[in-house]
Amino acid sequence: MPTAPPLVPADPAATGDLHAVLPVPPDVDVARTVGRLRRGPGDPTWSRSPDGSVWHAVRRPAGTATVRLRRAGGGDVRADAWGAGARQALADVPGLLGLMDDCRGFPDHLHPAVARARRAHAGVRLARSGDVWETVVTAVLEQRVVAADAKASWRRLVATHGTPAPGPVPAGLRVAPPPADWVAMPVWEWRRAGVDAQRSDTVRRAAQVAHAFTAALTPDELGRRLLTVRGIGPWTVAEVTSRALGDADAVSVGDAHLPHLVGWALTGRRADDAGMLRLLEPWRGHRQRVLVLLELAYRARMPAYGPRAPRAAPLR
């Protein structure tokens, strides 16, 4: 299994081709909000410098870009961006920081477990990455396998087939391949990365119509379009709309563990998908927010239910 490259700090004084300074409310935990988008500590499209700066390599219609986020004076966040897609990437930074997440009116008082979770994780917001295509790929890779294996597959495929991120970036930062490259990827590359035929074929089918999946769509419309691709179902749709569009109401129906987490946290008993949806109904409009809070607060304490997902083929 490939290992993450060593971090080589970029010049902390370097400024991007474009930059912006965004006022961030003091109650927003930027690091944890953004960190939820990263697919494991070795995700080649993300990096963190010793000075605390967060780096993200993206692909936008105008080209590739790198965004660096770092705290400025007074609690503000300075965003620097390099590359042809810098302007478009900077426009996505408010969503990335969770500043577009409207949690007003969230009725956390409806259940003590939700109220406790919100108090414990009050600074976490729902980020909107804008990285629709990349999120489609990672969500499909995560279908029916252990999360660690899916993240290892993503890491290997991007490290091998991605392109270097623009700018004075940390070593190993990569931009994920465009849709056409995923279509052309040889079958042996998928297998070496531990990706079976069902998931690789789904990514290829989605790549052929990837132009129809944009961040300008509403979650409902993006979901409708994604469901036209064979191999993509409600679970994958919710994973994509929640991460890429900041969909506050997305529910990952079909998850092996999520219904049990919701049932255990809210009732002390395990639940199935139908039971989970009934339990979440009072928070309609904020169901993804409830799921995120319950995962943060209770996932590590939840009893183990049922068999683990199958492990992927060993990486070679």
Side-chain angles (χ1 to χ4, degrees), residues 27 29 32 36 106-126 261-262 264-266 280 283 286-301:
D27 61 340
D29 188 331
R32 297 181 71 202
R36 293 189 61 255
F106 173 48
D108 61 342
H109 64 279
L110 295 179
H111 196 287
V114 176
R116 286 193 298 268
R118 192 183 192 190
R119 286 195 299 270
H121 303 281
V124 177
R125 297 291 184 269
L126 300 182
L261 170 66
V262 173
W264 178 75
L266 299 184
L280 292 175
W283 293 281
H286 292 278
R287 291 179 297 177
Q288 173 65 198
R289 193 182 316 284
V290 173
L291 292 173
V292 168
L293 289 172
L294 293 182
E295 284 196 289
L296 289 172
Y298 299 104
R299 188 68 179 250
R301 294 186 279 163

Side-chain angles (χ1 to χ4, degrees), residues 32 39 121 124 127 148 150 181 184 191 200 231-232 242 271 282-283 302 310:
R32 297 181 71 202
R39 311 321 293 162
H121 303 281
V124 177
D181 288 9
R191 302 303 174 263
S200 61
I232 290 181
S242 62
W283 293 281
M302 184 181 73

Side-chain angles (χ1 to χ4, degrees), residues 178-225:
D181 288 9
W182 293 97
V183 173
M185 202 172 291
V187 64
W188 58 85
E189 292 284 3
W190 293 99
R191 302 303 174 263
R192 286 173 181 166
V195 182
D196 57 58
Q198 187 169 348
R199 288 180 292 149
S200 61
D201 288 351
T202 298
V203 172
R204 285 171 164 162
R205 286 191 291 268
Q208 291 170 344
V209 291
H211 60 276
F213 310 143
T214 73
L217 299 172
T218 65
D220 285 347
E221 178 58 20
L222 177 58
R224 186 191 69 77
R225 296 185 185 193

Side-chain angles (χ1 to χ4, degrees), residues 245-294:
L245 301 185
D247 181 3
D249 200 45
V251 180
S252 299
V253 174
D255 191 275
H257 304 288
L258 202 55
H260 304 319
L261 170 66
V262 173
W264 178 75
L266 299 184
T267 71
R269 299 183 300 273
R270 63 186 303 179
D272 56 13
D273 280 331
M276 175 180 68
L277 290 173
R278 285 194 298 271
L279 290 170
L280 292 175
E281 184 59 31
W283 293 281
R284 178 172 287 276
H286 292 278
R287 291 179 297 177
Q288 173 65 198
R289 193 182 316 284
V290 173
L291 292 173
V292 168
L293 289 172
L294 293 182

